[in-house]
Amino acid sequence: MVLNKLSLRDKGTFDKYLKLTSHGLSVYSFADIYIWNKLFDISWAVIRKSLCVFFQDNIGAFLYLAPLAKSNDPKAISSVFEILERLNKNPEFARIDNVEEKDLAFYQSLGLECSLQSRDYICSRRDLEGLKGNKFKSKRASYNYFTRNFEHLYQGLSLNDRKECLGLYSLWVKQRRSRDPCSIYQGMLEDSRVALKEALENYSELGFKGSLVRINRKVKAFTFGYELNKETFCILYEITDLTVKGLAQFIFSRFARELKDYKYINIMDDSGLDNLKRVKLSYHPSSLMPAYTVRRKRG
């Protein structure tokens, strides 16, 4: 089986396969796959009419998301694991990540081991836009504090803003590091920087939409994401100067107001971090969408 190295030219092929069935997890987007190409060797192949996306680094190889097809094919899954076990010195690394709950019964029927990997946080767009009611009282107060105390310019994000956005990201990382010295978290921040550079470099080609806030002509916040499906928009990044009170609440709510064509906003998972989990739960998501990891049983 020959694996194709991922390139931007593959977007049309991926989009065709991604649209074969409905998906709710944030990873089911070409944009979310492509931005990791500087951290992983990403390749793909169509196996028995199923598009399969392989990620590999110096630790091992895995399937980033479930094979994309009109219907699940047991023989395609068998072929995937054969390839993964060839690519991995340790067969324990052979796995399929980000399997959606709707497909769980299929994988279990094949005798595969399925375990919870993470959960995406799905919010009502109207909730985020309005910040109404007692449950959003503190968010609304922060939003109002910002609008009363800071002269600002809210505008769309474009490729021309790339350098300033990366500069703000560096400031944000410095602020985050002072609050959380965990080495694992520090590593995640650097990986996220690499992905951000790739996203901004290919902002238009990957179909991103975003906005930013300037204070005294300087970029102090930016956010952007992509359409996941006709009902859902996914927020990929939201970065702010943490010293500006209420700015995070302002740009989040203000951007949600622009996304009127969508019913839901997917704010992705919490990466297993308690602080990120608390922040995402504070926006009172309407649902949590689980993702599962699938492996062959051993022993």
Side-chain angles (χ1 to χ4, degrees):
M1 174 63 65
V2 176
L3 301 180
N4 307 290
K5 186 171 179 61
L6 185 70
S7 79
L8 271 177
R9 295 189 299 273
D10 299 322
K11 186 176 185 300
T13 300
F14 272 64
D15 287 347
K16 180 180 73 173
Y17 278 88
L18 284 161
K19 291 175 182 176
L20 291 176
T21 60
S22 177
H23 301 287
L25 289 174
S26 58
V27 298
Y28 284 82
S29 161
F30 181 79
D32 183 86
I33 296 166
Y34 185 81
I35 62 172
W36 299 106
N37 75 83
K38 293 294 190 293
L39 292 166
F40 294 93
D41 179 11
I42 306 176
S43 55
W44 62 276
V46 176
I47 302 171
R48 293 182 58 86
K49 299 182 180 181
S50 302
L51 192 150
C52 304
V53 186
F54 297 85
F55 274 41
Q56 187 170 13
D57 60 10
N58 57 4
I59 298 175
F62 61 97
L63 214 64
Y64 184 59
L65 69 174
L68 303 170
K70 281 186 178 179
S71 58
N72 292 316
D73 183 339
K75 291 185 178 179
I77 303 304
S78 179
S79 295
V80 163
F81 276 107
E82 288 173 9
I83 293 170
L84 287 173
E85 289 175 359
R86 280 203 308 272
L87 293 173
N88 284 296
K89 293 180 180 178
N90 183 347
E92 293 293 331
F93 290 125
R95 68 184 191 274
I96 302 174
D97 277 351
N98 294 302
V99 170
E100 296 182 289
E101 191 166 42
K102 63 184 176 68
D103 295 320
L104 205 56
F106 163 73
Y107 288 94
Q108 290 171 333
S109 74
L110 300 179
L112 297 169
E113 181 181 283
C114 304
S115 57
L116 181 66
Q117 175 187 338
S118 60
R119 292 183 177 90
D120 276 8
Y121 293 73
I122 316 298
C123 298
S124 160
R125 187 200 64 80
R126 286 194 174 187
D127 279 354
L128 300 182
E129 173 190 10
L131 298 178
K132 295 178 180 178
N134 193 57
K135 66 182 181 179
F136 290 111
K137 184 178 179 180
S138 64
K139 303 290 186 190
R140 192 166 60 250
S142 295
Y143 178 106
N144 291 335
Y145 180 90
F146 174 78
T147 57
R148 285 196 307 266
N149 290 278
F150 294 94
E151 289 189 14
H152 62 277
L153 175 63
Y154 176 89
Q155 61 185 150
L157 174 63
S158 72
L159 184 57
N160 293 333
D161 303 307
R162 176 176 176 268
K163 185 176 180 180
E164 287 181 277
C165 288
L166 290 173
L168 176 60
Y169 186 86
S170 293
L171 172 64
W172 178 81
V173 167
K174 185 177 180 180
Q175 293 169 337
R176 283 292 179 198
R177 281 176 172 165
S178 67
R179 298 184 182 191
D180 190 341
C182 172
S183 60
I184 294 176
Y185 181 54
Q186 308 288 343
M188 291 172 66
L189 292 176
E190 289 309 312
D191 286 352
S192 182
R193 188 200 303 270
V194 174
L196 174 62
K197 287 181 179 179
E198 197 67 15
L200 291 174
E201 185 70 34
N202 300 284
Y203 187 83
S204 299
E205 294 87 342
L206 293 174
F208 289 126
K209 175 183 173 66
S211 65
L212 57 79
V213 175
R214 292 182 183 274
I215 300 174
N216 295 327
R217 298 185 179 182
K218 294 183 179 179
V219 173
K220 291 293 185 178
F222 69 87
T223 184
F224 66 90
Y226 51 88
E227 180 181 287
L228 187 60
N229 56 56
K230 293 302 180 183
E231 285 196 329
T232 309
F233 188 91
C234 181
I235 301 290
L236 182 61
Y237 280 92
E238 181 191 297
I239 305 297
T240 68
D241 181 339
L242 300 179
T243 66
V244 182
K245 183 178 177 180
L247 178 53
Q249 292 76 17
F250 171 80
I251 194 171
F252 195 24
S253 179
R254 183 66 180 78
F255 189 48
R257 192 185 309 170
E258 288 188 29
L259 303 173
K260 293 186 181 298
D261 292 338
Y262 304 96
K263 186 175 181 181
Y264 302 107
I265 294 181
N266 183 323
I267 55 175
M268 309 188 79
D269 65 18
D270 56 32
S271 302
L273 300 171
D274 287 339
N275 62 328
L276 195 52
K277 179 180 180 179
R278 286 193 297 272
V279 171
K280 291 180 185 278
L281 286 175
S282 73
Y283 280 97
H284 304 280
S286 55
S287 64
L288 301 181
M289 185 170 292
Y292 295 88
T293 294
V294 173
R295 290 182 171 88
R296 280 180 166 170
K297 291 181 179 178
R298 301 291 169 186

